[in-house]
Amino acid sequence: MSTNPDQILKSNEAVTFDESERQANRADNLKKMVPVLTVIALISLIIYPILASRENSFTLAIDRLPERDEKAKLIKPSYVDIDRNNNPVNISAQSAYREENEHTDYFFTNLLAQMSLPSGEAIEIEAMRGALNTGTQIMDLGGEITILSETGFLLTSTEATFFIADKIAAGKNGVKGIAPFGRFSANTFNANVEEEIITLEGNVTINFDPKKPLNLMENTSGNIN
């Protein structure tokens, strides 16, 4: 074994240089890892509360729940469809529910229905409560009901059925309103808003506007003023 001082000095210098180079490499690697570790830490901070609260989460799409209360309410729902003339039908409400998951009957509270006639005139319906069959597009309305159209119809009642496809409103629990021919009231009514024809029966009272044609009225029985 050589004990030459020059050889020992050279050997020590070589080891110190290698170690310094390794430390420099480690420092360089750490500098590169710091941004990556920072990103990982931020992602962990974001994900952890979500994972921790998973037990308290809920499914927004009610129909996707494996088991649920069939009468679960929809808050501020909107129903959007088209009628047979491809005119839009929009119904909004304070709340809605249906009895069974597969049923097509929806029960609304404080509903507002907006639609239009083939000619473009708008129809607006307000009711305290109502049931809509999405298959037949028939609404059964109750409570305070107002049916208003740009063609000149204004009907108020406490019970009515509205046929969306035909734009016909009918009821048997009294009606008051304004039509193109004047003011009216009756026990029962059938109003074809699209054809501007209204049929009144039972205690009919009409305040006729002489400027309007009389042939707008059919099957009326009562007092005409």
Side-chain angles (χ1 to χ4, degrees), residues 57-106:
S57 65
F58 59 94
T59 303
L60 293 178
I62 294 178
D63 287 342
R64 295 182 182 178
L65 289 172
E67 294 182 6
R68 69 180 182 89
D69 180 1
E70 297 293 352
K71 293 186 179 181
K73 283 187 177 181
L74 300 173
I75 305 301
K76 294 185 178 180
S78 294
Y79 169 78
V80 179
D81 203 348
I82 58 174
D83 61 20
R84 67 183 181 187
N85 295 305
N86 292 324
N87 293 314
V89 176
N90 298 291
I91 300 174
S92 58
Q94 180 178 345
S95 65
Y97 72 93
R98 55 182 173 176
E99 294 287 349
E100 300 290 342
N101 191 32
E102 68 277 5
H103 286 185
T104 56
D105 289 313
Y106 285 84

Short mmCIF file of all heavy atoms in Angstrom, two decimals, residues 57-106:
data_model
loop_
_atom_site.label_atom_id
_atom_site.label_comp_id
_atom_site.label_asym_id
_atom_site.label_seq_id
_atom_site.Cartn_x
_atom_site.Cartn_y
_atom_site.Cartn_z
N SER A 57 -72.98 13.96 1.18
CA SER A 57 -73.33 14.42 -0.16
C SER A 57 -74.67 13.84 -0.58
O SER A 57 -75.20 12.92 0.03
CB SER A 57 -72.25 14.03 -1.16
OG SER A 57 -72.17 12.62 -1.26
N PHE A 58 -75.22 14.39 -1.67
CA PHE A 58 -76.50 13.89 -2.18
C PHE A 58 -76.48 13.97 -3.69
O PHE A 58 -75.70 14.70 -4.29
CB PHE A 58 -77.67 14.68 -1.61
CG PHE A 58 -77.63 16.15 -1.92
CD1 PHE A 58 -78.29 16.65 -3.03
CD2 PHE A 58 -76.92 17.02 -1.13
CE1 PHE A 58 -78.24 18.00 -3.34
CE2 PHE A 58 -76.87 18.36 -1.42
CZ PHE A 58 -77.53 18.86 -2.52
N THR A 59 -77.37 13.22 -4.31
CA THR A 59 -77.48 13.17 -5.77
C THR A 59 -78.48 14.21 -6.24
O THR A 59 -79.61 14.22 -5.79
CB THR A 59 -77.91 11.77 -6.24
OG1 THR A 59 -76.98 10.81 -5.74
CG2 THR A 59 -77.95 11.70 -7.76
N LEU A 60 -78.05 15.08 -7.16
CA LEU A 60 -78.95 16.12 -7.65
C LEU A 60 -79.99 15.55 -8.59
O LEU A 60 -81.12 16.00 -8.64
CB LEU A 60 -78.13 17.21 -8.35
CG LEU A 60 -77.22 18.03 -7.44
CD1 LEU A 60 -76.44 19.03 -8.27
CD2 LEU A 60 -78.00 18.76 -6.37
N ALA A 61 -79.61 14.56 -9.41
CA ALA A 61 -80.56 13.94 -10.34
C ALA A 61 -81.38 12.91 -9.59
O ALA A 61 -80.92 11.81 -9.31
CB ALA A 61 -79.81 13.29 -11.49
N ILE A 62 -82.62 13.27 -9.23
CA ILE A 62 -83.45 12.40 -8.39
C ILE A 62 -83.69 11.05 -9.04
O ILE A 62 -83.68 10.01 -8.38
CB ILE A 62 -84.79 13.09 -8.08
CG1 ILE A 62 -84.54 14.32 -7.21
CG2 ILE A 62 -85.76 12.14 -7.39
CD1 ILE A 62 -85.79 15.10 -6.88
N ASP A 63 -83.89 11.04 -10.35
CA ASP A 63 -84.19 9.78 -11.04
C ASP A 63 -83.02 8.80 -11.00
O ASP A 63 -83.19 7.62 -11.29
CB ASP A 63 -84.58 10.04 -12.50
CG ASP A 63 -85.96 10.67 -12.60
OD1 ASP A 63 -86.71 10.56 -11.61
OD2 ASP A 63 -86.27 11.25 -13.64
N ARG A 64 -81.82 9.25 -10.64
CA ARG A 64 -80.66 8.35 -10.60
C ARG A 64 -80.44 7.72 -9.23
O ARG A 64 -79.56 6.89 -9.07
CB ARG A 64 -79.40 9.13 -11.01
CG ARG A 64 -79.44 9.60 -12.47
CD ARG A 64 -78.17 10.32 -12.85
NE ARG A 64 -78.22 10.81 -14.22
CZ ARG A 64 -77.24 11.51 -14.81
NH1 ARG A 64 -76.15 11.79 -14.14
NH2 ARG A 64 -77.38 11.93 -16.05
N LEU A 65 -81.22 8.16 -8.26
CA LEU A 65 -81.07 7.56 -6.95
C LEU A 65 -81.57 6.11 -6.97
O LEU A 65 -82.65 5.84 -7.49
CB LEU A 65 -81.89 8.34 -5.92
CG LEU A 65 -81.36 9.74 -5.54
CD1 LEU A 65 -82.37 10.45 -4.67
CD2 LEU A 65 -80.03 9.63 -4.83
N PRO A 66 -80.81 5.15 -6.42
CA PRO A 66 -81.26 3.76 -6.42
C PRO A 66 -82.52 3.55 -5.59
O PRO A 66 -83.38 2.78 -5.94
CB PRO A 66 -80.06 3.01 -5.81
CG PRO A 66 -79.31 4.04 -5.04
CD PRO A 66 -79.49 5.33 -5.78
N GLU A 67 -82.63 4.26 -4.47
CA GLU A 67 -83.82 4.20 -3.63
C GLU A 67 -84.13 5.62 -3.17
O GLU A 67 -83.27 6.33 -2.71
CB GLU A 67 -83.59 3.30 -2.40
CG GLU A 67 -83.38 1.84 -2.75
CD GLU A 67 -83.20 0.99 -1.51
OE1 GLU A 67 -83.35 1.56 -0.41
OE2 GLU A 67 -82.91 -0.20 -1.64
N ARG A 68 -85.39 6.01 -3.32
CA ARG A 68 -85.75 7.38 -2.94
C ARG A 68 -87.23 7.46 -2.61
O ARG A 68 -88.00 6.58 -2.95
CB ARG A 68 -85.42 8.36 -4.06
CG ARG A 68 -86.31 8.20 -5.29
CD ARG A 68 -85.92 9.21 -6.35
NE ARG A 68 -86.77 9.13 -7.52
CZ ARG A 68 -87.90 9.79 -7.68
NH1 ARG A 68 -88.34 10.57 -6.72
NH2 ARG A 68 -88.61 9.67 -8.80
N ASP A 69 -87.59 8.55 -1.98
CA ASP A 69 -88.99 8.86 -1.73
C ASP A 69 -89.60 9.29 -3.05
O ASP A 69 -89.18 10.27 -3.66
CB ASP A 69 -89.09 9.99 -0.71
CG ASP A 69 -90.53 10.35 -0.39
OD1 ASP A 69 -91.44 9.72 -0.96
OD2 ASP A 69 -90.74 11.27 0.41
N GLU A 70 -90.60 8.56 -3.54
CA GLU A 70 -91.20 8.86 -4.84
C GLU A 70 -91.85 10.24 -4.85
O GLU A 70 -92.04 10.83 -5.91
CB GLU A 70 -92.24 7.80 -5.20
CG GLU A 70 -91.65 6.40 -5.37
CD GLU A 70 -90.72 6.28 -6.57
OE1 GLU A 70 -90.64 7.23 -7.37
OE2 GLU A 70 -90.06 5.25 -6.70
N LYS A 71 -92.18 10.78 -3.68
CA LYS A 71 -92.83 12.08 -3.62
C LYS A 71 -91.84 13.21 -3.32
O LYS A 71 -92.23 14.27 -2.86
CB LYS A 71 -93.95 12.06 -2.58
CG LYS A 71 -95.11 11.15 -2.95
CD LYS A 71 -96.25 11.29 -1.95
CE LYS A 71 -97.43 10.40 -2.34
NZ LYS A 71 -98.54 10.53 -1.39
N ALA A 72 -90.58 12.96 -3.55
CA ALA A 72 -89.58 14.01 -3.34
C ALA A 72 -89.92 15.22 -4.20
O ALA A 72 -90.25 15.09 -5.37
CB ALA A 72 -88.18 13.49 -3.68
N LYS A 73 -89.85 16.41 -3.62
CA LYS A 73 -90.25 17.62 -4.33
C LYS A 73 -89.11 18.18 -5.16
O LYS A 73 -87.95 18.11 -4.79
CB LYS A 73 -90.71 18.68 -3.33
CG LYS A 73 -92.10 18.46 -2.77
CD LYS A 73 -92.53 19.66 -1.93
CE LYS A 73 -93.95 19.48 -1.42
NZ LYS A 73 -94.40 20.65 -0.61
N LEU A 74 -89.51 18.75 -6.29
CA LEU A 74 -88.59 19.54 -7.10
C LEU A 74 -88.88 21.00 -6.79
O LEU A 74 -90.02 21.44 -6.89
CB LEU A 74 -88.80 19.26 -8.59
CG LEU A 74 -88.59 17.82 -9.06
CD1 LEU A 74 -89.01 17.69 -10.52
CD2 LEU A 74 -87.14 17.41 -8.89
N ILE A 75 -87.86 21.75 -6.40
CA ILE A 75 -88.04 23.16 -6.05
C ILE A 75 -87.77 24.02 -7.28
O ILE A 75 -86.76 23.88 -7.95
CB ILE A 75 -87.10 23.56 -4.90
CG1 ILE A 75 -87.32 22.62 -3.70
CG2 ILE A 75 -87.34 25.00 -4.50
CD1 ILE A 75 -88.73 22.62 -3.16
N LYS A 76 -88.72 24.91 -7.58
CA LYS A 76 -88.66 25.80 -8.74
C LYS A 76 -88.34 25.04 -10.02
O LYS A 76 -87.36 25.34 -10.71
CB LYS A 76 -87.64 26.91 -8.49
CG LYS A 76 -88.04 27.85 -7.36
CD LYS A 76 -87.07 29.01 -7.21
CE LYS A 76 -87.53 29.96 -6.12
NZ LYS A 76 -86.60 31.10 -5.94
N PRO A 77 -89.16 24.04 -10.35
CA PRO A 77 -88.90 23.25 -11.56
C PRO A 77 -89.35 24.00 -12.82
O PRO A 77 -90.14 24.94 -12.76
CB PRO A 77 -89.76 22.00 -11.35
CG PRO A 77 -90.93 22.54 -10.58
CD PRO A 77 -90.38 23.59 -9.64
N SER A 78 -88.84 23.56 -13.95
CA SER A 78 -89.25 24.09 -15.25
C SER A 78 -89.51 22.93 -16.19
O SER A 78 -88.71 21.99 -16.26
CB SER A 78 -88.17 25.00 -15.83
OG SER A 78 -88.01 26.16 -15.05
N TYR A 79 -90.63 23.00 -16.88
CA TYR A 79 -90.99 22.01 -17.89
C TYR A 79 -90.95 22.70 -19.25
O TYR A 79 -91.62 23.72 -19.46
CB TYR A 79 -92.38 21.43 -17.61
CG TYR A 79 -92.95 20.59 -18.73
CD1 TYR A 79 -92.52 19.28 -18.94
CD2 TYR A 79 -93.93 21.12 -19.58
CE1 TYR A 79 -93.05 18.52 -19.97
CE2 TYR A 79 -94.46 20.36 -20.61
CZ TYR A 79 -94.01 19.05 -20.80
OH TYR A 79 -94.53 18.30 -21.83
N VAL A 80 -90.17 22.17 -20.18
CA VAL A 80 -90.01 22.76 -21.50
C VAL A 80 -90.36 21.70 -22.54
O VAL A 80 -89.84 20.58 -22.51
CB VAL A 80 -88.58 23.27 -21.73
CG1 VAL A 80 -88.44 23.87 -23.13
CG2 VAL A 80 -88.21 24.31 -20.68
N ASP A 81 -91.26 22.06 -23.46
CA ASP A 81 -91.69 21.11 -24.49
C ASP A 81 -92.18 21.92 -25.69
O ASP A 81 -92.09 23.15 -25.72
CB ASP A 81 -92.79 20.20 -23.93
CG ASP A 81 -92.89 18.88 -24.69
OD1 ASP A 81 -92.27 18.75 -25.77
OD2 ASP A 81 -93.60 17.98 -24.20
N ILE A 82 -92.73 21.23 -26.67
CA ILE A 82 -93.38 21.87 -27.81
C ILE A 82 -94.75 21.23 -28.00
O ILE A 82 -94.97 20.08 -27.64
CB ILE A 82 -92.55 21.75 -29.11
CG1 ILE A 82 -92.28 20.28 -29.44
CG2 ILE A 82 -91.26 22.54 -29.00
CD1 ILE A 82 -91.59 20.07 -30.78
N ASP A 83 -95.68 22.02 -28.57
CA ASP A 83 -97.00 21.46 -28.85
C ASP A 83 -97.01 20.84 -30.24
O ASP A 83 -95.96 20.73 -30.90
CB ASP A 83 -98.09 22.53 -28.70
CG ASP A 83 -97.89 23.70 -29.66
OD1 ASP A 83 -97.18 23.55 -30.67
OD2 ASP A 83 -98.46 24.78 -29.40
N ARG A 84 -98.17 20.43 -30.72
CA ARG A 84 -98.25 19.73 -32.00
C ARG A 84 -97.90 20.63 -33.18
O ARG A 84 -97.63 20.16 -34.29
CB ARG A 84 -99.64 19.15 -32.19
CG ARG A 84 -100.74 20.18 -32.34
CD ARG A 84 -102.09 19.51 -32.46
NE ARG A 84 -103.16 20.48 -32.62
CZ ARG A 84 -104.45 20.17 -32.62
NH1 ARG A 84 -104.81 18.90 -32.43
NH2 ARG A 84 -105.36 21.10 -32.78
N ASN A 85 -97.92 21.95 -32.95
CA ASN A 85 -97.54 22.90 -34.00
C ASN A 85 -96.10 23.37 -33.85
O ASN A 85 -95.70 24.37 -34.46
CB ASN A 85 -98.48 24.11 -33.97
CG ASN A 85 -99.91 23.73 -34.31
OD1 ASN A 85 -100.17 23.14 -35.36
ND2 ASN A 85 -100.84 24.05 -33.42
N ASN A 86 -95.34 22.66 -33.01
CA ASN A 86 -93.94 22.98 -32.75
C ASN A 86 -93.74 24.34 -32.09
O ASN A 86 -92.66 24.93 -32.20
CB ASN A 86 -93.10 22.90 -34.04
CG ASN A 86 -92.97 21.48 -34.57
OD1 ASN A 86 -92.87 20.53 -33.79
ND2 ASN A 86 -93.00 21.33 -35.87
N ASN A 87 -94.76 24.83 -31.42
CA ASN A 87 -94.63 26.06 -30.64
C ASN A 87 -94.15 25.72 -29.23
O ASN A 87 -94.54 24.69 -28.67
CB ASN A 87 -95.97 26.81 -30.57
CG ASN A 87 -96.39 27.35 -31.91
OD1 ASN A 87 -95.58 27.94 -32.62
ND2 ASN A 87 -97.65 27.14 -32.28
N PRO A 88 -93.33 26.57 -28.64
CA PRO A 88 -92.77 26.24 -27.32
C PRO A 88 -93.82 26.26 -26.22
O PRO A 88 -94.76 27.04 -26.24
CB PRO A 88 -91.73 27.34 -27.11
CG PRO A 88 -92.19 28.48 -27.96
CD PRO A 88 -92.83 27.85 -29.16
N VAL A 89 -93.63 25.36 -25.25
CA VAL A 89 -94.46 25.30 -24.04
C VAL A 89 -93.51 25.35 -22.85
O VAL A 89 -92.64 24.50 -22.71
CB VAL A 89 -95.30 24.00 -23.99
CG1 VAL A 89 -96.08 23.93 -22.68
CG2 VAL A 89 -96.22 23.91 -25.19
N ASN A 90 -93.67 26.37 -22.01
CA ASN A 90 -92.81 26.53 -20.83
C ASN A 90 -93.67 26.64 -19.59
O ASN A 90 -94.55 27.50 -19.51
CB ASN A 90 -91.94 27.79 -20.97
CG ASN A 90 -91.00 27.72 -22.16
OD1 ASN A 90 -90.07 26.94 -22.18
ND2 ASN A 90 -91.26 28.55 -23.17
N ILE A 91 -93.42 25.76 -18.63
CA ILE A 91 -94.16 25.77 -17.38
C ILE A 91 -93.16 25.82 -16.22
O ILE A 91 -92.26 24.98 -16.12
CB ILE A 91 -95.04 24.51 -17.23
CG1 ILE A 91 -96.05 24.44 -18.39
CG2 ILE A 91 -95.78 24.53 -15.89
CD1 ILE A 91 -96.87 23.16 -18.40
N SER A 92 -93.30 26.82 -15.38
CA SER A 92 -92.48 26.94 -14.18
C SER A 92 -93.39 26.93 -12.96
O SER A 92 -94.58 27.23 -13.07
CB SER A 92 -91.63 28.21 -14.22
OG SER A 92 -92.46 29.35 -14.34
N ALA A 93 -92.84 26.61 -11.80
CA ALA A 93 -93.66 26.52 -10.60
C ALA A 93 -92.80 26.70 -9.36
O ALA A 93 -91.56 26.69 -9.43
CB ALA A 93 -94.37 25.17 -10.54
N GLN A 94 -93.47 26.87 -8.24
CA GLN A 94 -92.76 26.97 -6.97
C GLN A 94 -92.21 25.60 -6.58
O GLN A 94 -91.09 25.50 -6.08
CB GLN A 94 -93.69 27.50 -5.88
CG GLN A 94 -93.03 27.64 -4.52
CD GLN A 94 -93.97 28.21 -3.48
OE1 GLN A 94 -95.03 28.76 -3.79
NE2 GLN A 94 -93.61 28.08 -2.23
N SER A 95 -92.99 24.55 -6.80
CA SER A 95 -92.54 23.20 -6.50
C SER A 95 -93.35 22.21 -7.33
O SER A 95 -94.39 22.55 -7.89
CB SER A 95 -92.68 22.86 -5.01
OG SER A 95 -94.05 22.86 -4.64
N ALA A 96 -92.85 20.98 -7.41
CA ALA A 96 -93.55 19.92 -8.15
C ALA A 96 -93.11 18.56 -7.62
O ALA A 96 -92.03 18.42 -7.05
CB ALA A 96 -93.26 20.02 -9.65
N TYR A 97 -93.97 17.58 -7.82
CA TYR A 97 -93.62 16.20 -7.46
C TYR A 97 -94.48 15.27 -8.31
O TYR A 97 -95.42 15.69 -8.98
CB TYR A 97 -93.85 15.93 -5.97
CG TYR A 97 -95.31 15.84 -5.57
CD1 TYR A 97 -95.98 14.61 -5.53
CD2 TYR A 97 -96.02 16.99 -5.23
CE1 TYR A 97 -97.32 14.53 -5.19
CE2 TYR A 97 -97.36 16.92 -4.88
CZ TYR A 97 -98.00 15.69 -4.85
OH TYR A 97 -99.33 15.61 -4.51
N ARG A 98 -94.17 13.99 -8.29
CA ARG A 98 -95.02 12.98 -8.92
C ARG A 98 -95.13 11.78 -8.00
O ARG A 98 -94.22 11.49 -7.21
CB ARG A 98 -94.50 12.59 -10.30
CG ARG A 98 -93.06 12.12 -10.35
CD ARG A 98 -92.67 11.81 -11.78
NE ARG A 98 -91.26 11.51 -11.91
CZ ARG A 98 -90.68 11.14 -13.04
NH1 ARG A 98 -91.40 11.00 -14.14
NH2 ARG A 98 -89.39 10.90 -13.10
N GLU A 99 -96.24 11.07 -8.12
CA GLU A 99 -96.55 9.99 -7.18
C GLU A 99 -95.58 8.82 -7.31
O GLU A 99 -95.13 8.25 -6.32
CB GLU A 99 -97.99 9.50 -7.41
CG GLU A 99 -99.06 10.52 -7.08
CD GLU A 99 -99.22 10.74 -5.59
OE1 GLU A 99 -98.65 9.96 -4.82
OE2 GLU A 99 -99.91 11.71 -5.21
N GLU A 100 -95.26 8.42 -8.53
CA GLU A 100 -94.36 7.31 -8.77
C GLU A 100 -93.33 7.72 -9.82
O GLU A 100 -93.58 8.58 -10.66
CB GLU A 100 -95.13 6.07 -9.26
CG GLU A 100 -96.17 5.55 -8.29
CD GLU A 100 -95.56 4.92 -7.05
OE1 GLU A 100 -94.36 4.59 -7.09
OE2 GLU A 100 -96.28 4.77 -6.04
N ASN A 101 -92.20 7.08 -9.77
CA ASN A 101 -91.09 7.44 -10.63
C ASN A 101 -91.43 7.32 -12.11
O ASN A 101 -90.99 8.12 -12.93
CB ASN A 101 -89.87 6.57 -10.31
CG ASN A 101 -88.61 7.08 -10.99
OD1 ASN A 101 -88.45 8.27 -11.20
ND2 ASN A 101 -87.72 6.17 -11.34
N GLU A 102 -92.26 6.31 -12.47
CA GLU A 102 -92.57 6.08 -13.88
C GLU A 102 -93.80 6.85 -14.36
O GLU A 102 -94.13 6.82 -15.54
CB GLU A 102 -92.77 4.58 -14.14
CG GLU A 102 -94.01 3.97 -13.49
CD GLU A 102 -93.80 3.58 -12.05
OE1 GLU A 102 -92.71 3.87 -11.51
OE2 GLU A 102 -94.73 2.99 -11.45
N HIS A 103 -94.48 7.56 -13.46
CA HIS A 103 -95.68 8.28 -13.84
C HIS A 103 -95.37 9.51 -14.68
O HIS A 103 -94.29 10.10 -14.58
CB HIS A 103 -96.46 8.71 -12.59
CG HIS A 103 -97.17 7.57 -11.92
ND1 HIS A 103 -98.01 7.75 -10.85
CD2 HIS A 103 -97.16 6.23 -12.18
CE1 HIS A 103 -98.50 6.57 -10.47
NE2 HIS A 103 -97.98 5.64 -11.26
N THR A 104 -96.34 9.92 -15.52
CA THR A 104 -96.18 11.11 -16.35
C THR A 104 -96.96 12.30 -15.79
O THR A 104 -96.98 13.36 -16.41
CB THR A 104 -96.64 10.83 -17.79
OG1 THR A 104 -98.00 10.38 -17.77
CG2 THR A 104 -95.77 9.78 -18.45
N ASP A 105 -97.61 12.12 -14.62
CA ASP A 105 -98.36 13.20 -13.99
C ASP A 105 -97.48 13.93 -12.98
O ASP A 105 -96.97 13.32 -12.03
CB ASP A 105 -99.60 12.66 -13.28
CG ASP A 105 -100.67 12.19 -14.26
OD1 ASP A 105 -100.96 12.94 -15.20
OD2 ASP A 105 -101.19 11.07 -14.08
N TYR A 106 -97.31 15.23 -13.20
CA TYR A 106 -96.57 16.08 -12.27
C TYR A 106 -97.55 17.02 -11.59
O TYR A 106 -98.44 17.60 -12.22
CB TYR A 106 -95.51 16.90 -13.01
CG TYR A 106 -94.29 16.09 -13.41
CD1 TYR A 106 -94.29 15.34 -14.57
CD2 TYR A 106 -93.14 16.09 -12.62
CE1 TYR A 106 -93.18 14.61 -14.95
CE2 TYR A 106 -92.02 15.36 -12.98
CZ TYR A 106 -92.05 14.62 -14.15
OH TYR A 106 -90.95 13.89 -14.52
#
